[in-house]
Amino acid sequence: MKSLDAILIKPVLTEKMLQMQEDAQKYGFHVVSEANKIEIKKAIEGKFSVLVEKVHTLNVKGKMKRMNSRQGLTHGKRSDWKKAIVTLKEGYKIDLFQEQ
């Protein structure tokens, strides 16, 4: 089993995720692509001392990008990554902006 710190990479802080935090107690995290829902749940509960109700995962495909360079137009692709949306039980909250 992977260590708890190795599973969570960083929180996803977008306008949509911040709205979900306020409305539905849902938090988004960028996780290791090999992690499953059980490992993600244990990592969140261990790191933030909260109780997790549900975990939804999705694989995000990397975007294709074009860049101009001196040699002409070059093509590239951003990396694929895995997102986990975690729903907390009633009464629990994660403060992502506190100093740790």
Side-chain angles (χ1 to χ4, degrees), residues 35-78:
N36 60 34
K37 291 181 180 186
I38 298 167
E39 293 173 338
I40 295 167
K41 179 179 179 178
K42 288 180 182 177
I44 297 290
E45 288 177 345
K47 185 167 184 173
F48 297 107
S49 301
V50 295
L51 291 179
V52 175
E53 186 175 331
K54 293 180 185 178
V55 177
H56 297 279
T57 59
L58 56 140
N59 291 312
V60 179
K61 301 292 182 188
K63 293 180 179 180
M64 295 298 294
K65 292 293 179 180
R66 294 184 302 178
M67 296 163 273
N68 289 325
S69 65
R70 291 178 187 221
Q71 292 81 21
L73 190 65
T74 59
H75 297 278
K77 181 179 178 291
R78 289 188 181 168

